[in-house]
Amino acid sequence: MKDNAILYIIIPCYNEEKVLQITSTMFLEKIESLINKGKISDKSRIMFVNDGSKDRTWEIICELAKTDEHYIGISQSRNRGHQNAVLAGLMEAKDNCDITISIDCDGQDDINAMDKMVDEYLNGCEIVYGVRSSRQTDTFFKRFTAQGFYKLLNAMGAEVVYNHADYRLVSSRVLKEFENFKEVNLFLRGMFPLVGFKSTSVYYERHERIAGESHYPLRKMLALAFDGITSLSIKPIRMITGLGTAIAMLSFVGVIWSIVMAVLGKTVAGWASMVCIVTFIGGIQLICLGVIGEYIGKIYMEVKHRPRYIISERTNDDK
Ligand code: UDP
Ligand code: MG
């Protein structure tokens, strides 16, 4: 049995001054209870990743780090988004710990699921996905769009665990392999299944945000869905090829039809239908170009190979 594994809880924070005060104690209590139960080592840490917050978030993290040695923090040089913040934390932690659990700082994900996650790790799993058992606390709109999100992802060939966001236990062994996934366009929940290793799911209830507001309005959700699809699959491009073939065949039928009509001398002044067809095909072509352009844009970003995160400060810098 692997006992006393070192656990790092990775918590991305963006403008969370209202929430942090409340949830930081919850995280500390959790980690202490896990230590007391003898499941994890006392060297375990709660690592906050400040994602270029504009409020007092980083100051709060620094103050926390002074009050208890279990709190540590790193700060990104600017706001880079949730996925990059989680990645920065995971990469920072991977050499110092045996397991990581990434979780949002707003108290929405039930921290009591961590016990089960650690148990699954002790049973030999390397990745444990936190899966929401229901979406009762969500508004109808959020529930509807989120469900559509997973359906769309799967239909488009991006494999993701249904109703799993970024609450997840990952062992450092997996992280060391994950490091070789060099892509800049990150969609972590779709990438970890690609790493493989023994994995399982743990179910939990998702609560409402303790304070503050969601940073994921519909616009960002759509962007994330689109990113997820185009980063993980080329199915949309295949669909374009299919669509192109179908339209080409259709127009071939149209050509034959018009020749037959011309031979029969029944040509009509079909201005309206002409315009309809031309604009329809024009529209489809533009959409297809847009999708292909999206992939080219991604290739461009990947080729530049810019760093995915830049850590500017650490709470233990002075030590
Ligand atoms: N977050 C971040 N960078 C961002 C936006 C969000 O690090 O640019 C963090 C945020 O502090 C929170 C988590 O990502 O811990 C999830 O964000 P949020 O709760 O706003 O999203 P929701 O739960 O509504 O999907
Ligand atoms: Mg949230």
Side-chain angles (χ1 to χ4, degrees):
M1 197 184 125
K2 297 174 246 180
D3 56 359
N4 289 351
I6 302 176
L7 166 69
Y8 270 47
I9 302 177
I10 312 294
I11 308 163
C13 308
Y14 175 58
N15 292 348
E16 300 283 12
E17 58 180 8
K18 282 199 207 116
V19 180
L20 218 49
Q21 255 113 341
I22 312 163
T23 51
S24 57
T25 14
M26 290 165 45
F27 288 122
L28 187 62
E29 279 163 14
K30 182 87 259 168
I31 213 164
E32 278 171 347
S33 95
L34 284 169
I35 293 168
N36 292 337
K37 283 182 199 157
K39 286 190 182 176
I40 56 169
S41 146
D42 189 46
K43 292 201 198 93
S44 297
R45 295 286 178 267
I46 299 159
M47 182 192 273
F48 296 105
V49 183
N50 172 37
D51 188 20
S53 301
K54 293 182 180 67
D55 60 5
R56 288 193 64 254
T57 302
W58 180 240
E59 281 79 31
I60 295 172
I61 294 172
C62 291
E63 281 157 25
L64 286 170
K66 279 181 202 134
T67 61
D68 194 298
E69 59 163 0
H70 292 106
Y71 289 124
I72 55 175
I74 57 175
S75 187
Q76 294 223 83
S77 58
R78 53 159 295 173
N79 180 249
R80 293 291 300 272
H82 174 225
Q83 299 287 299
N84 298 72
V86 174
L87 180 77
L90 292 175
M91 289 300 126
E92 179 83 0
K94 73 176 188 315
D95 297 320
N96 303 325
C97 67
D98 302 302
I99 35 178
T100 59
I101 295 182
S102 50
I103 184 169
D104 293 352
C105 82
D106 53 15
Q108 282 191 284
D109 300 319
D110 182 10
I111 56 169
N112 294 319
M114 285 188 191
D115 293 77
K116 272 195 267 168
M117 286 183 166
V118 174
D119 287 341
E120 292 292 355
Y121 167 74
L122 296 175
N123 288 336
C125 286
E126 302 278 346
I127 306 179
V128 185
Y129 301 102
V131 176
R132 305 175 58 169
S133 50
S134 72
R135 284 183 172 266
Q136 238 104 67
T137 52
D138 278 351
T139 59
F140 171 76
F141 182 70
K142 176 97 188 181
R143 195 159 60 217
F144 185 73
T145 48
Q147 244 136 32
F149 172 86
Y150 289 100
K151 297 233 168 80
L152 184 68
L153 282 175
N154 281 316
M156 289 290 166
E159 267 175 59
V160 286
V161 179
Y162 187 67
N163 263 349
H164 160 70
D166 280 298
Y167 186 17
R168 167 177 58 230
L169 178 146
V170 182
S171 71
S172 63
R173 207 175 135 209
V174 171
L175 287 176
K176 277 170 195 151
E177 299 301 330
F178 186 73
E179 209 187 353
N180 297 322
F181 286 61
K182 299 280 186 201
E183 57 237 67
V184 185
N185 298 289
L186 288 176
F187 189 63
L188 297 177
R189 69 187 81 168
M191 290 162 71
F192 277 107
L194 299 177
V195 189
F197 288 94
K198 192 171 174 210
S199 66
T200 186
S201 298
V202 156
Y203 295 85
Y204 70 95
E205 286 289 329
R206 190 156 151 123
H207 311 298
E208 266 167 85
R209 219 173 205 286
I210 287 189
E213 273 168 17
S214 169
H215 303 102
Y216 269 104
L218 183 64
R219 178 178 53 83
K220 276 203 193 173
M221 280 245 300
L222 286 177
L224 188 68
F226 204 64
D227 251 5
I229 295 163
T230 51
S231 302
L232 293 171
S233 108
I234 53 162
K235 208 165 170 183
I237 289 199
R238 296 237 174 89
M239 286 167 73
I240 287 177
T241 319
L243 189 70
T245 321
I247 290 182
M249 271 165 16
L250 216 73
S251 51
F252 184 65
V253 173
V255 167
I256 292 179
W257 176 74
S258 54
I259 291 174
V260 170
M261 284 303 162
V263 169
L264 295 178
K266 283 190 195 164
T267 32
V268 280
W271 184 81
S273 54
M274 278 289 281
V275 171
C276 288
I277 292 168
V278 169
T279 46
F280 174 70
I281 294 186
I284 292 203
Q285 279 177 331
L286 282 182
I287 295 173
C288 296
L289 270 180
V291 175
I292 294 171
E294 183 72 23
Y295 279 95
I296 294 178
K298 288 246 151 108
I299 297 169
Y300 179 56
M301 295 309 286
E302 297 292 348
V303 166
K304 276 195 285 198
H305 219 275
R306 287 187 179 150
R308 296 181 289 183
Y309 57 88
I310 297 168
I311 297 170
S312 58
E313 277 163 282
R314 290 175 173 81
T315 50
N316 50 7
D317 267 350
D318 38 316
K319 277 177 208 151

